[in-house]
Every structure is written in C-alpha cells, then in structure tokens.
Amino acid sequence: DRDDWWARNRLDGWDQYFAFHSWSSFASRLDVYAEDPTAVCYKPDGVTPHQVLPYHQVVIDRALAYARDWFDNDPTGRRMAVSISPPDGNKIWCDEWRVNGSYDSTTISNYAFELTNVVARMLQVEYPGKYASVLSYSNYSNVPTIDLEPNVYVQITNFARGSQTREERVAGFLNKGVFTGYYDYFDVWPWWQD
C-alpha cells in the first residue's frame, strides 16, 4: 500500500533537491499576460492566454527572481535546488510547438530545459553550489538536444509521454553530465483506468 511504498521510496533530504511543477509559482499565464501579452501563446480563439513562452524575457526575469527569492528566504538553510519545472497537463502547450500535428516531446523538453539552464547559469555566479531542478516528465520527458549546465538537477519520472525509454532517458541525462535522480510515482490518474 501507499504507506509501505512511501517508507521505501522517500529518501532523507528529499526536500533539499526536490523538483515540482513550479512555473505557476513565478509565471502563471494570466500574470505574465497582464505584464506583457507577447510573453504567452494563445488558445485557438486568439484571445485566451494558453501558456507562457519560456524563452520570453519576461518569463526569464520572473524565473531568475523566483530562484533568488527561493534561496534568499530559505527558512532552514538546507535548500540545494530551486525547481524550474513546467506545469502539469497534457493540452497546455503552444500549438506552435507541434510537429506533424502532435506535441513533440523533444521540442517541449528543449524549451523547459533551456529556461532551467538560464537559472542554473545565474546560480553558478550568485549562489555557487546550488542547483536548478527540473522534472523529466510527461510531454517534456525526452532528453533535450541542447547542452545542460552542470548544476542542473533532473528528476526523471516514471510518467512519460515522450518517445524515449526509461533506460534511454537515464543514460541520456547522465551522458549530459547532470545530477540525476529518479522520481517513482505510486500512481497517476491514467493508471487508475487499468
């Protein structure tokens, strides 16, 4: 049951390096839209904000400010990583990121991991020894084709919609030279249908 699984799989210190869906903590699409309407993509109606653009300077500035605040206001002094990981959801991505009509996991991964890289580069200068963490999850589960900074921490999850196997993902991230962990879900909603 869940309690047995939790006891076997939750490591001491998990809260120092954990990654979670954090974009909404620093760049909710409505807040970003209010600041700069060009920093989001839109639903097909052309009016409703759909997702933030992680390569837009407004989103980058918000991510950097969030990371600085995360470490400057650490109540325990134990934080080693700040999560810069996209939100959860399957139909939340920009239509412009589709390849042959489908969302391409490598394209989405490249965008997610590049924003994490930007934060990691700032941390190297302002917070040496700290990491920018990101999930390898769902539609951004593929290993990106871009280089990754050495202080990126990737939590590979067992919930992936990309084209790569778990073994390919583990090997791919390790070959990129980043700190890598594995996040094993006890259960997720699509599995309930079994």
Side-chain angles (χ1 to χ4, degrees), residues 77-99:
R78 294 180 40 160
R79 291 179 178 164
M80 292 301 298
V82 58
S83 184
I84 306 296
S85 202
D88 199 1
N90 300 317
K91 296 181 181 178
I92 61 169
W93 308 109
C94 298
D95 285 341
E96 299 87 343
W97 301 350
R98 291 180 184 266
V99 175

Side-chain angles (χ1 to χ4, degrees), residues 130-190:
K130 302 297 185 181
Y131 291 81
S133 62
V134 61
L135 296 169
S136 167
Y137 171 83
S138 191
N139 283 8
Y140 55 99
S141 59
N142 278 4
V143 177
T145 58
I146 61 173
D147 290 335
L148 296 178
E149 295 296 322
N151 62 323
V152 167
Y153 168 50
V154 179
Q155 279 192 350
I156 300 168
T157 70
N158 62 332
F159 185 68
R161 295 184 184 275
S163 59
Q164 298 171 336
T165 66
R166 176 183 62 211
E167 291 77 14
E168 290 170 328
R169 291 163 61 215
V170 169
F173 283 113
L174 290 175
N175 287 337
K176 294 231 178 237
V178 296
F179 185 32
T180 304
Y182 194 76
Y183 187 139
D184 187 17
Y185 284 98
F186 178 73
D187 200 3
V188 292
W189 64 267

Side-chain angles (χ1 to χ4, degrees), residues 8-160:
R8 289 190 316 274
N9 288 284
R10 190 166 190 179
L11 301 175
D12 184 42
W14 66 270
D15 59 336
Q16 293 175 297
Y17 290 96
F18 71 110
F20 60 94
H21 304 293
S22 61
W23 280 11
S24 62
S25 299
F26 62 85
S28 77
R29 68 180 187 267
L30 295 179
D31 290 343
V32 169
Y33 169 78
E35 185 174 343
D36 185 342
T38 68
V40 299
C41 62
Y42 292 87
K43 291 185 178 183
D45 65 11
V47 176
T48 307
H50 192 58
Q51 180 59 272
V52 301
L53 301 173
Y55 41 81
H56 194 284
Q57 194 61 50
V58 166
V59 177
I60 292 169
D61 291 345
R62 285 170 163 265
L64 293 170
Y66 175 77
R68 290 179 178 110
D69 184 64
W70 182 260
F71 288 115
D72 289 345
N73 295 296
D74 178 1
T76 65
R78 294 180 40 160
R79 291 179 178 164
M80 292 301 298
V82 58
S83 184
I84 306 296
S85 202
D88 199 1
N90 300 317
K91 296 181 181 178
I92 61 169
W93 308 109
C94 298
D95 285 341
E96 299 87 343
W97 301 350
R98 291 180 184 266
V99 175
N100 297 324
S102 299
Y103 291 118
D104 177 65
S105 188
T106 301
T107 299
I108 296 171
S109 291
N110 283 344
Y111 289 138
F113 282 87
E114 182 51 32
L115 182 58
T116 307
N117 264 344
V118 170
V119 172
R121 285 190 286 274
M122 178 276 292
L123 295 176
Q124 291 167 9
V125 174
E126 297 181 29
Y127 302 85
K130 302 297 185 181
Y131 291 81
S133 62
V134 61
L135 296 169
S136 167
Y137 171 83
S138 191
N139 283 8
Y140 55 99
S141 59
N142 278 4
V143 177
T145 58
I146 61 173
D147 290 335
L148 296 178
E149 295 296 322
N151 62 323
V152 167
Y153 168 50
V154 179
Q155 279 192 350
I156 300 168
T157 70
N158 62 332
F159 185 68

